[in-house]
Amino acid sequence: MKRHLFFPLFFLLFLTGCLAPGNPVAVPTTGKVTLDRLPVAGVKVSAWPVDALHLEGDAPYQTSASDVDGQFRLDLPAGTYYFFAHGDGLFAYYGRNPVTIPAGGSREMNIGLVRFAPATTPLVSGVSGVVAIDGVPQAGAVIFVYTDLNSQLKGMGYLMSAPTGADGRFYLDLDDGTYYLIARKRQGSRSVGPLKPGDLIGYAPANPLRVRSGSAAFVPIPLLEVPDKISSLQSSLFGATRISGRILDPAGAPVAGVRVLIYDQSQMLDRPLYVSQPTTADGRYVVSLPQGGLYYLAARNTLGGAPAPGDLYGTYNLDPEHKLQVADGAARDGIDMVVEEMW
Amino acid sequence: MQRLSLCGLLLIGLMFGPQSVSAQTLTGETIWQGQVEVREAVRVERGAILRILPGSVVTFHAVGLEVAGTLEARDAVLTGLNWPGLVLKGCDEKTALDGVTVSGAKLGIQVVGGAPRLRNCLLRDNEVGLELRQKSDAQVQDCRFVQNAKVGLFIKDGTTAAVNGNRFEKNDRYAVYIYRASPAQFSENELTANGTAVIVAYAGSDPQLRGNRIYGNRTGIRVERAARPSIIDNDIHDNETGIDLDRRADPLIEANRLDHNKRGVAIAYSSYPQLHGNDFSGNDVAVYLEYQSAQWEKQRGQQARDAETPTRSAFAGQNAAPVSAPAPVRLDGRIDASGNFWGGAATAELATLGADGNPTFIDDGRDRPTFDEGGATWPLDIVIYAPWSSTPQTVGRKQL
């Protein structure tokens, strides 16, 4: 009898040990690394938790080299991470960083690599550099400077450079300190809002950059085009947890071109947690969420700053505080919102 | 993408009937003449020139025209049915539209930066007639804005344009909307039969509106949400409300002629104008106060403004942005409107009333001591009308 009890108890203790706090279950994140849309072997993907103080040294999570199909697998606990990739003369800062990995893991992460060569141009003083794609300088890129990771390297940051000229050069007047440099080049006249497919983003491989008095730094920033695949993953990017519905005008007609913004605070100020793709002609939207929770919903046809006169704006009004509870794994469909012009 | 690289002239139109444009990008020099049908969006590249000759009628079929190079158009018509409109993106002063009619567009002409010249143009039956944005230094002169559904002329984003000698009529909602911008000049314009002739809104909107004629509108000039324009030397008559101030609007109102409006100046929600040197006459009420209380401002003003977000507003409804403005300098429950001429009959009335009466031409806390707001009762401010001028002060100034 005692012998019969021993093995179940041992198994239970074994399981308890595996699931104990401090030993979170690692889930797989899979995908591939590409260069010019072709898979690349021998590239290592690494990840930093979003609460890391700095992105330097050895990353706490790192894959072995990618296979001939560019495939990689990285096991790490559910959470939010910055993803990087390094290869021979190749580098990547994943354009969707930071990325939330849900409890079920993540798949189809496509990390685009850029060619990267260390700086060779001498510099007398200050911080300068060049933004380029495959060595071709890019005009019209803006360098955003961040002093830490608090904003997750999004938004306006500490300061911005002037747009680069035809030679792709930029210059920054920075005091002593540690900085992260991100280059962005948006299509059209937009200067704010999430990057769209076709926009360019670059993370300086020299980040975090340490600036000291009397020293100089030349910082090349390779750019990568934001892919359009993300739009096709809107409904399933993170799994089954999602919010979907329609955006309507006051007369009940569907409205195209409106994004749904999802916040975690009732004021719905600052940067939303998640932003949908613009609604289609039937007014439909869907936002995939990494986990359930209490969210606050708004919808508008412009991004950046407060809505201006004439902009379309609306909130989720079935709740007086515009909030919606979403359970893990649940699909909250039929969440319609009405937008009106602001005047 | 099919490219047209034409260094010569395209003069097909006159010879072969309507000219059909399907190219998406124009480089070099291109001429449109006669009947032109545009069925694909057209972009004029930087360094390229598009000339639209007099008498041309260009019809856009649900597509627009974007110009990053130069557009020269004279006495031509650009029209369509709910087409996106013409975009002038960073065009310098070489881009000039003279006598051009733009109609039927969602946004007739959008000027993004640059300094194009628009003269004698007609913006008619668009949702928005003309929008100036991104620090544009455009010149808009002697144009007409007629029956645009939402806004005739939208001035925003730090635009420093000059807007002179234009006529705005029958624009249902707003003839001119100035949003976070201070045009270098807004003068000698005529605005009539509009919903609101001019609205100046939000902090950072500090233009000078000078020498305009504003009559027959529901509201002549509306100032709201911390905008601080200077309203000087305008003729404002026969409107339902001449000047309407709301939500911390502190404009300078000086040397204007306000006559025969139902309400000359209406003041609400912690607005404290500098109101001096004007000539009032024949208004049903010269100055009208509503929801205006120094007590409310002291206890709830800043709190209400802080809470005014796109989702929550002390002023009800969905408002566009927090109102940011310094607190009023003086909060003693009085609005200083001394130094104005109140009209002949009013001056005679004041001769009897003196400085401490309750004149019939001012409707304030003397007439309605309190109002209710937010579950509490608040004292309504009063208007200080003395000393006053016994004679008109703007006589002899140029009348438009």
Side-chain angles (χ1 to χ4, degrees), chain A residues 45 47 53 59 85 105-106 130 137-138 145 157 163 195 209 293 298 333:
Chain A
V45 176
L53 292 178
S106 180
V130 63
Q138 295 293 309
V145 180
L195 295 177
L209 181 67
D333 298 326

Side-chain angles (χ1 to χ4, degrees), chain A residues 233-255:
Chain A
L233 296 176
Q234 273 287 300
S235 60
S236 61
L237 185 64
F238 296 117
T241 311
R242 70 166 191 255
I243 301 171
S244 70
R246 290 185 305 160
I247 303 300
L248 308 169
D249 68 14
V255 181

